[in-house]
C-alpha cells in the first residue's frame, strides 16, 4: 500500500514539474560579453512586472530598473542619460521584446498585452526579437550584464502570477 502511495506521489510531482517546464522559456543573452551579471529572478516573487524605468541616450541603454508588484529592483547599469518611467495598466503584461545591440544594448522595445509599444534608446546595431516559446506566457523577469551601460539582456518568460496583487 505504501509503495502505491509513493508511486502516485512521484507521478503527481513529475506532472507538476512538466507543467512548469512547458510554461517557461528564455531568450538571450543579447549583447556583449563584458560586465557584471545581474538577475531579477528573485524579484519576480514580488509579483508581475508593473513598471519599467530606463535610462538611455541616443545611442545606448544606460540603466534599467523594473518594478515587480510594488517593489522596485535595484538599478543596474549607469545613472546618467534621460530617465523614462512607464507604468503598466492593471493586468497588462509584456508579451514581446525587441531591440538592437553591439557590444552594448542600444535599443529596447517592449510590446504589451494591451498593444502598447514602449521604445527606448538608439537606432543602430544588430536586431533581435524575443517572444515566449509557449502561448499565454509573459515576461516574468530580466537578467543580463552591466557596467556603466547595459551590455547584455536575457528575457525570462512564464505564466502570469494569478495569485499576486497587481498594483
Amino acid at each position: 500500500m505504501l509503495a502505491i502511495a509513493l508511486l502516485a506521489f512521484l507521478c503527481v510531482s513529475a506532472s507538476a514539474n512538466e507543467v512548469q517546464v512547458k510554461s517557461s522559456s528564455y531568450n538571450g543573452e543579447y549583447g556583449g560579453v563584458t560586465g557584471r551579471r545581474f538577475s531579477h529572478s528573485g524579484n519576480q516573487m514580488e509579483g508581475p512586472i508593473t513598471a519599467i524605468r530606463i535610462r538611455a541616450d541616443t545611442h545606448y541603454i544606460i540603466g534599467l530598473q523594473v518594478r515587480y508588484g510594488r517593489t522596485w529592483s535595484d538599478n543596474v547599469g549607469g545613472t546618467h542619460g534621460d530617465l523614462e518611467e512607464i507604468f503598466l495598466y492593471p493586468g497588462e503584461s509584456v508579451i514581446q521584446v525587441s531591440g538592437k545591440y553591439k557590444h552594448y544594448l542600444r535599443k529596447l522595445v517592449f510590446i504589451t498585452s494591451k498593444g502598447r509599444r514602449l521604445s527606448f534608446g538608439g537606432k543602430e546595431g544588430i536586431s533581435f526579437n524575443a517572444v515566449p516559446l509557449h502561448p499565454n506566457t509573459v515576461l516574468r523577469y530580466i537578467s543580463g550584464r552591466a557596467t556603466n551601460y547595459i551590455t547584455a539582456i536575457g528575457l525570462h518568460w512564464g505564466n502570469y502570477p494569478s495569485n499576486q496583487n497587481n498594483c
Side-chain angles (χ1 to χ4, degrees), residues 57-160:
D57 63 19
T58 57
H59 301 290
Y60 301 105
I61 302 298
I62 297 165
L64 171 69
Q65 193 173 18
V66 180
R67 191 174 80 168
Y68 296 87
R70 295 182 178 160
T71 306
W72 285 100
S73 69
D74 291 336
N75 182 69
V76 292
T79 56
H80 62 283
D82 297 326
L83 175 65
E84 292 190 57
E85 185 174 77
I86 305 295
F87 288 87
L88 300 182
Y89 301 127
E92 184 177 27
S93 298
V94 175
I95 59 170
Q96 179 180 350
V97 180
S98 60
K100 293 183 182 275
Y101 66 92
K102 184 177 180 185
H103 305 298
Y104 297 100
L105 196 57
R106 294 175 176 252
K107 180 177 185 143
L108 276 175
V109 180
F110 296 94
I111 308 296
T112 75
S113 57
K114 303 260 187 211
R116 292 199 294 163
R117 183 179 188 275
L118 314 170
S119 182
F120 310 93
K123 298 177 182 165
E124 302 294 321
I126 300 164
S127 296
F128 71 88
N129 186 46
V131 294
L133 181 61
H134 304 288
N136 303 316
T137 56
V138 300
L139 184 63
R140 291 292 289 131
Y141 70 95
I142 295 172
S143 64
R145 296 174 179 269
T147 58
N148 290 331
Y149 298 90
I150 304 299
T151 56
I153 194 167
L155 306 154
H156 302 261
W157 309 91
N159 291 325
Y160 186 89

Side-chain angles (χ1 to χ4, degrees), residues 39-53:
S39 175
H40 291 170
S41 64
N43 298 85
Q44 72 173 320
M45 304 312 270
E46 298 296 326
I49 293 173
T50 56
I52 301 168
R53 286 181 183 150

